[in-house]
Every structure is written in structure tokens, then in C-alpha cells.
Amino acid sequence: MMKHCGECITRLPIFNMLTDEQFESINYNRCKVKFRPGETIFKQGTAMTHVIIITEGLVKIYLEGTGSRNLILRMARPLTIIGGPGFFTDFKHHITSMAIEETSACFIDVQKMMELIKENKDFAIAMLKWVNIHTQNNYLKLVELTQKGMHGRIAGALIYLNNEVFSGKYGDIRIHRQDLADLTAMSKESAIRILKEFKDENLISVVGNTIIIHDLPRLNAINIKG
Amino acid sequence: MMKHCGECITRLPIFNMLTDEQFESINYNRCKVKFRPGETIFKQGTAMTHVIIITEGLVKIYLEGTGSRNLILRMARPLTIIGGPGFFTDFKHHITSMAIEETSACFIDVQKMMELIKENKDFAIAMLKWVNIHTQNNYLKLVELTQKGMHGRIAGALIYLNNEVFSGKYGDIRIHRQDLADLTAMSKESAIRILKEFKDENLISVVGNTIIIHDLPRLNAINIKG
DNA sequence: GATTTTTCTTGATAAAAATCAATAAAACTA
DNA sequence: TAGTTTTATTGATTTTTATCAAGAAAAATC
């Protein structure tokens, strides 16, 4: 009866090291919320009172830049924690997260999380590890976006979407042109043009917002060579 | 006699929460090393056996990208820890650090650091905070480099160098053209041209590798508007 | 189902930025 | 100091990428 939150917290490796009591402390007053596509979950700049765990759906996590330009850092599927670098610093959200598909999320109190980090070293280390892996991704992203041409960036984004976001049970890639542009730091028109080139060369097929990769090896080659 | 390492560890806030015993455990077999300009301290991809604390000089921290292109993440002065996201993950260096000026650094054993993190919650939290602040900087960098034009990026870099790297006792900005290019993700030639424009408009003066900012407000304006 | 709104597409054009090449100036080395 | 290497500069050119505008298609709304 203790760990009744099977969908949510128990399956996340990062919570494995909690005692029953500790687990219950964050489980007690958490709440589950549903979001429709297009709804904002966290907004960059607001107070970070909670972190969430995605339990269903798909979320995009992005930076709001200058002049309504966004930069998508990643897409998140269940089971992912969405927190951010506000932890132990300014307790603000530094990212905006928005539901792309119908999404459910568990809200967990940040105060409770902090207590656990202070109480439980293994949990603290797991958090540190988690943050460091994100830093590694950010480093890759920095190089990707500043040193590769548009073709390489689109190829990279498609591979990412294929392997990590729409893999297995999630079916074909479904993404808006603007999101693909925000993921690759280019204009929407440029993204469209390159998508069309890839289609004309039979690397992919495109029907509406659905993209199917036909020639992953060649896409990989484009991704690597830039 | 315990905390004889006044130059190095004691002045770093992150070590404040250590007990004398804990402090001594990392102080015991640390070693201080000197580097000449151009010498590599850590190399991306190698095993992370130590972290360092810069005690003298100036270091550039960068990502080695594709085809000998580098991206400078930041410059580090005393007293800065240089570690990286290999901590608790793959224990490899994900950044390269190279001395720009004559530099001294204390090498601290990573195993010892890890023991301390496990022993001392406050230290673990300080680390978490430290990593999060870096993530915030990486986010800013991502937006800066993907959404701003070259003029804005050079202006931003000059302001950064002026306010955070060559402030106070460190004198005027001294930087190679290639480093300025690697800091702003553009070609060396482009960096040179924009520098010349800024000089022609009396925003800065340039003599060799020395840059003096004359019109910070206008540089700020360029930085903000992109 | 008609209308409105949003998203997508395409072409033309302009702007931004990289590359190439050749020289000049500095810094280093023997 | 002479020679060598590295770094900086400049102009010409090409490539890359964004912007603008107008129309088509799709999706949402009434």
C-alpha cells in the first residue's frame, strides 16, 4: 500500500535509493496533472516550486530566446524528471516545457526534494549524476549547433527523434516544422527546404507532420560530415 | 598548521563546509603544477583522475569540435575549480583546458572528492549548486551563439572578457584573434573584421592583442540588440 | 459545412558569414 | 640578427542562411 504510485515514481531509477519513509514523504502530497498539446507546464522565469515527472505523453523543453525565437533542448517522454538548473541556485525555471501530445505529469514539491537530497547521499549523488549527463548533452548541442551546417543539423535531429523520441512503441516521427526548426536553430523555411531535399533523395518520406526514415546510414553520414 | 594551503583550497567557498579532517584528506596528497601558455592541462576524452583548482594565471576551457574547430566555453581565473560533467558518470574529461597565461593549478584526487561528497551533504549540495550555475551559463551560451549575429556575439564576448576575465587587477583585455573567434563561434577572419569595425567606430581601441573598451554603453546596446 | 486561423510551401531576394588567397606583421628560434 | 614560424590582415568570392511575400493546404472553430 505504500508504493501505490507505480506509474510514476517507483519506476524511476533515481528514486530507487529512497527508504519507504522518504519515498512516502514526496509521494504524500504530490499531484498528477493532465496537459493538452500546446499547454505550458513550466514557464521560463517563474518560481520553481515543483519539479515534475512525465508519466504519459510527450513534452518539449526549450529556451525562450530573443524575439520569440525558441531553442528546443530536448523532448521528454515518460519517465523523465523535468527540473532545471534553478535547484539550489535561484529556484527559478530556466526552461519552458510544453506538452506536445496529451501529457500527464506528477508534480513533486521542491522543498521535499531538497530535504531528501540533504538526508540521502545516494539520492544526492544520483541527482549530481543526472545533472552531469545533461551537461554532457548541452556540450554536444553547443558543438552541433555552432559547427555543423543545416543539412547535418536536420539529419542529427531526425536521428535523435527516431532513436530517442519516437522509438519502439511510439511509432513514426511526428513533429511540426517550427519545432524541427527550433530543434536545429534555423528558420522554419530552411528546415522545410532541407526536409524536402531529403525527401527528394529518398532518405525519408514525409506525409503531413509524419516523417519516416528510409536510409538511416546515409542520414548518419550526413549527420557526421556536417 | 592544518590549513597551510592558504593560496588554494581554503579561500574557495565550496570548501568552507568541510571539517578539518575532511579538508586534510584532500589537502594531503594534492600537488601543485605550473603550466606555460599553450600547455594543455586536461584533454577532452582522457580519464578524469583529478580536478584542479586554478591558483594563478588564466585558463581557457573549450570543447574540441569537428575538424579542429574549438568552442571556448569560458576562461577561468583563480580561484576556480575545473572539473566537468564526467563526475559520477563516465569519469572522463568532456572539456579541454589550456593555459593562456603562466598558470598554477592544484590537482585534487577525484576519488577523494567523491568520498567527501558522500560524507558531507553540504559539500554535495555545494557541488550541485555549482553544476547548476554552469548549466545556466550553458543555456545562455546556447541562445547567445544560435540567435545573435556576429556583432552582438563579439560585443558580448568583449563585455564578458572586460567584466569577468580582465577586470580589476588583471588590466586590459588580452586575447588572440583565434580565441575570440572560438569564443563567439565564428571564423577568425570574421572576428577580425568586426573588431576592426568596432575600432573604426571608436567603441574600442586595439593594439596587438590588447583591447580597451571605450564605449561600454554602446557595446552593451549592440550586445542586446543582437 | 463554411469560415477563420494556423501551418506549410515555394520562389525571389537580401543578408550574413565562411572560405580562399596573398600579404604583412609579430613572435619565436637558432 | 637572420631566418622561420605563427599570427594577423585584407580583398575578392562563394556559400550559407534568413527574410519577405504570396499562395496552398491543413486544422480548428463556429
Side-chain angles (χ1 to χ4, degrees):
Chain A
M1 31 84 248
M2 206 94 169
K3 298 198 176 182
H4 60 275
C5 182
E7 265 313 303
C8 180
I9 296 175
T10 47
R11 272 197 286 149
L12 253 181
I14 203 171
F15 291 107
N16 281 350
M17 54 280 293
L18 296 184
T19 64
D20 283 359
E21 194 188 351
Q22 288 171 340
F23 180 85
E24 196 54 28
S25 80
I26 55 170
N27 196 25
Y28 180 64
N29 55 2
R30 104 200 126 67
C31 52
K32 195 168 180 176
V33 183
K34 283 201 165 194
F35 295 92
R36 299 167 158 275
E39 285 184 333
T40 299
I41 302 173
F42 290 145
K43 172 85 178 169
Q44 187 174 322
T46 60
M48 188 182 73
T49 58
H50 295 79
V51 298
I52 58 167
I53 297 171
I54 308 290
T55 56
E56 277 177 83
L58 179 62
V59 168
K60 64 176 168 181
I61 295 162
Y62 59 95
L63 303 173
E64 302 187 38
T66 47
S68 76
R69 281 188 67 181
N70 298 326
L71 181 67
I72 297 179
L73 293 173
R74 62 185 201 279
M75 312 286 217
R77 286 276 189 202
L79 293 160
T80 310
I81 300 182
I82 300 181
F87 230 89
F88 290 111
T89 59
D90 57 2
F91 291 97
K92 288 185 177 169
H93 288 294
H94 291 257
I95 48 167
T96 296
S97 30
M98 180 185 282
I100 292 181
E101 299 173 2
E102 189 96 357
T103 294
S104 292
C106 269
F107 279 66
I108 297 178
D109 190 277
V110 160
Q111 297 299 326
K112 287 277 184 298
M113 283 284 282
M114 280 170 60
E115 283 171 27
L116 287 194
I117 287 171
K118 284 174 189 167
E119 278 175 22
N120 188 318
K121 353 177 150 161
D122 294 327
F123 189 62
I125 287 170
M127 286 293 292
L128 211 42
K129 184 174 176 176
W130 183 78
V131 177
N132 277 340
I133 283 175
H134 277 288
T135 300
Q136 290 174 23
N137 288 334
N138 290 335
Y139 285 176
L140 291 176
K141 194 109 192 155
L142 271 163
V143 170
E144 171 105 6
L145 295 182
T146 59
Q147 302 192 350
K148 282 165 69 174
M150 293 197 300
H151 291 81
R153 301 212 298 277
I154 291 284
L158 292 176
I159 293 165
Y160 165 72
L161 292 167
N162 190 61
N163 295 353
E164 298 186 43
V165 184
F166 293 93
S167 60
K169 61 175 173 175
Y170 294 117
D172 304 324
I173 297 169
R174 298 202 83 243
I175 191 171
H176 287 261
R177 302 295 191 273
Q178 185 64 61
D179 281 349
L180 191 59
D182 289 347
L183 199 54
T184 50
M186 68 183 70
S187 72
K188 187 184 49 179
E189 293 92 330
S190 292
I192 288 169
R193 272 182 255 266
I194 287 162
L195 220 46
K196 188 185 153 80
E197 279 184 52
F198 285 0
K199 186 185 169 186
D200 290 346
E201 292 168 25
N202 291 315
L203 297 174
I204 58 173
S205 67
V206 183
V207 180
N209 286 333
T210 302
I211 302 171
I212 299 174
I213 293 181
H214 292 311
D215 197 339
L216 195 55
R218 209 133 66 87
L219 223 45
N220 264 318
I222 294 171
N223 180 37
I224 289 164
K225 96 165 192 292
Chain B
M1 33 83 249
M2 204 92 168
K3 299 198 176 183
H4 59 275
C5 180
E7 266 313 304
C8 180
I9 296 174
T10 47
R11 273 197 285 149
L12 254 182
I14 202 171
F15 290 108
N16 281 350
M17 53 279 294
L18 296 183
T19 65
D20 283 0
E21 195 188 349
Q22 289 171 339
F23 179 86
E24 196 54 28
S25 78
I26 55 170
N27 196 26
Y28 179 65
N29 55 1
R30 103 199 127 67
C31 51
K32 195 168 179 176
V33 183
K34 283 202 165 194
F35 295 92
R36 299 168 159 276
E39 286 184 332
T40 300
I41 302 173
F42 290 144
K43 172 84 178 169
Q44 186 174 322
T46 60
M48 188 182 74
T49 58
H50 296 79
V51 298
I52 58 167
I53 297 170
I54 308 291
T55 57
E56 276 177 83
L58 178 61
V59 168
K60 64 175 169 181
I61 295 162
Y62 60 95
L63 303 174
E64 301 187 39
T66 47
S68 76
R69 282 189 66 181
N70 298 326
L71 181 67
I72 296 179
L73 292 172
R74 62 185 201 279
M75 311 285 217
R77 286 279 190 200
L79 292 161
T80 310
I81 301 183
I82 300 182
F87 230 90
F88 291 111
T89 59
D90 58 1
F91 291 96
K92 288 185 177 168
H93 288 295
H94 291 256
I95 48 169
T96 295
S97 31
M98 181 186 280
I100 293 181
E101 298 173 1
E102 190 96 355
T103 294
S104 293
C106 270
F107 279 65
I108 296 177
D109 190 277
V110 159
Q111 298 299 327
K112 286 276 184 297
M113 282 284 282
M114 280 171 59
E115 283 170 27
L116 287 194
I117 287 171
K118 284 174 189 167
E119 278 175 22
N120 188 318
K121 340 169 165 175
D122 293 327
F123 188 64
I125 287 169
M127 286 293 291
L128 210 42
K129 184 174 175 174
W130 183 80
V131 176
N132 278 340
I133 283 175
H134 277 288
T135 300
Q136 290 174 24
N137 287 335
N138 290 335
Y139 285 175
L140 290 176
K141 194 110 191 152
L142 272 163
V143 169
E144 170 104 6
L145 295 183
T146 58
Q147 302 193 350
K148 282 166 70 174
M150 292 197 301
H151 291 81
R153 301 212 297 275
I154 291 283
L158 291 177
I159 293 165
Y160 165 72
L161 292 168
N162 189 61
N163 295 352
E164 297 185 44
V165 184
F166 294 92
S167 60
K169 62 175 172 177
Y170 295 116
D172 304 323
I173 297 170
R174 299 201 84 242
I175 190 170
H176 287 259
R177 303 295 191 273
Q178 186 63 62
D179 281 349
L180 191 59
D182 290 346
L183 199 53
T184 50
M186 68 183 69
S187 71
K188 187 184 50 180
E189 293 92 329
S190 291
I192 288 169
R193 273 181 255 267
I194 288 162
L195 220 47
K196 188 185 153 81
E197 277 184 53
F198 285 180
K199 185 184 170 187
D200 290 346
E201 291 168 26
N202 291 315
L203 297 173
I204 58 174
S205 67
V206 182
V207 179
N209 286 332
T210 301
I211 301 170
I212 298 172
I213 293 180
H214 292 312
D215 197 339
L216 195 53
R218 210 133 66 86
L219 222 45
N220 264 317
I222 295 171
N223 180 36
I224 289 163
K225 96 164 191 291

